[in-house]
Amino acid sequence: KNQVEQSPQSLIILEGKNCTLQCNYTVSPFSNLRWYKQDTGRGPVSLTIMTFSENTKSNGRYTATLDADTKQSSLHITASQLSDSASYICVVSEDDYKLSFGAGTTVTVRA
Amino acid sequence: GAVVSQHPSRVICKSGTSVKIECRSLDFQATTMFWYRQFPKQSLMLMATSNEGSKATYEQGVEKDKFLINHASLTLSTLTVTSAHPEDSSFYICSASRPAEGTYEQYFGPGTRLTVT
């Protein structure tokens, strides 16, 4: 069964600090890996999409990395802001349509 | 661009009634739309894949007669929860797919919170 495991389940950080979220997957075949941000009570919003050949991709203060050999990805948030408080979901795609979702990491940024 | 809307955002209904949720792609045409449900603190679970003009493909364990999906146009898909029960209470999210960065990106709607009393 294709799985996407995220860690930690939740974390609390102080405003201005950095944090890194982890994602391990067993999805095969692999098409691409996506990170989404989901605010409470809202739908997910795409942060990054990475294909097999990409090792890193940035979107503002968000930087995602991918090691397709070890099937690991990370999402680094730099200089966190209160608005970064959300659930971050790692999603691995087998093809253009079939997505496997992680359970998400809930990030709480405190002033 | 790539905005997906859902209506209503919240709905409360009585057990046994039916509820219709609309999903619209506002600024692009989507040949494929998806319906998910999400329970608290859990990941999204795909319910069905909907292609314009054809019958939806339901995931294993999802009752097609209970969750009716209609994809009548390239910008509109609807999910009708029939004879709703309290266990159907959940957060329902749709997404619409279009090409992006060499693959197909799914753009998610804001979700609909369904509460069945």
Side-chain angles (χ1 to χ4, degrees):
Chain A
K1 179 182 178 181
N2 289 328
Q3 287 190 321
V4 179
E5 302 287 340
Q6 291 188 241
S7 63
Q9 186 175 27
S10 63
L11 65 92
I12 300 172
I13 57 173
L14 293 177
E15 188 177 15
K17 298 297 185 181
N18 305 334
C19 67
T20 301
L21 316 179
Q22 300 292 339
C23 173
N24 297 335
Y25 63 92
T26 60
V27 176
S28 181
F30 173 88
S31 177
N32 55 68
L33 185 145
R34 312 160 188 227
W35 282 94
Y36 287 88
K37 177 185 179 187
Q38 184 178 20
D39 292 314
T40 301
R42 307 290 294 176
V45 174
S46 179
L47 295 176
T48 62
I49 302 176
M50 289 185 291
T51 60
F52 183 89
S53 60
E54 295 178 287
N55 299 121
T56 184
K57 181 165 279 189
S58 292
N59 178 357
R61 295 179 295 101
Y62 301 101
T63 300
T65 66
L66 173 63
D67 185 334
D69 291 331
T70 62
K71 298 187 177 182
Q72 296 179 326
S73 176
S74 68
L75 180 70
H76 186 78
I77 304 175
T78 303
S80 61
Q81 300 177 0
L82 296 178
S83 59
D84 293 331
S85 296
S87 178
Y88 292 84
I89 305 172
C90 175
V91 181
V92 182
S93 168
E94 297 176 40
D95 55 34
D96 287 335
Y97 295 125
K98 188 161 181 63
L99 308 181
S100 294
F101 288 79
T105 294
T106 300
V107 174
T108 302
V109 181
R110 290 187 174 164
Chain B
V3 178
V4 177
S5 70
Q6 280 184 242
H7 178 80
S9 58
R10 290 177 179 269
V11 58
I12 301 173
C13 71
K14 292 186 177 181
S15 186
T17 61
S18 295
V19 174
K20 179 184 286 187
I21 303 170
E22 291 187 349
C23 175
R24 294 181 185 272
S25 55
L26 298 184
D27 51 0
F28 67 100
Q29 294 183 330
T31 54
T32 304
M33 289 185 170
F34 305 83
W35 286 96
Y36 297 84
R37 65 189 298 180
Q38 185 179 32
F39 293 105
K41 298 187 185 301
Q42 295 187 23
S43 61
L44 280 71
M45 295 177 57
L46 179 65
M47 298 175 65
T49 302
S50 167
N51 289 297
E52 185 265 337
S54 62
K55 291 184 178 180
T57 301
Y58 290 81
E59 294 298 299
Q60 190 174 9
V62 178
E63 299 176 58
K64 62 180 181 181
D65 294 329
K66 179 170 184 60
F67 299 99
L68 302 179
I69 292 173
N70 184 283
H71 193 159
S73 76
L74 290 173
T75 60
L76 173 64
S77 176
T78 61
L79 168 68
T80 301
V81 182
T82 63
S83 187
H85 289 151
E87 56 264 32
D88 297 325
S89 298
S90 186
F91 193 53
Y92 292 87
I93 304 175
C94 73
S95 70
S97 177
R98 77 166 192 180
E101 298 190 44
T103 182
Y104 281 84
E105 175 64 277
Q106 286 191 29
Y107 297 92
F108 290 86
T112 296
R113 173 76 58 193
L114 171 63
T115 303
V116 184
T117 60

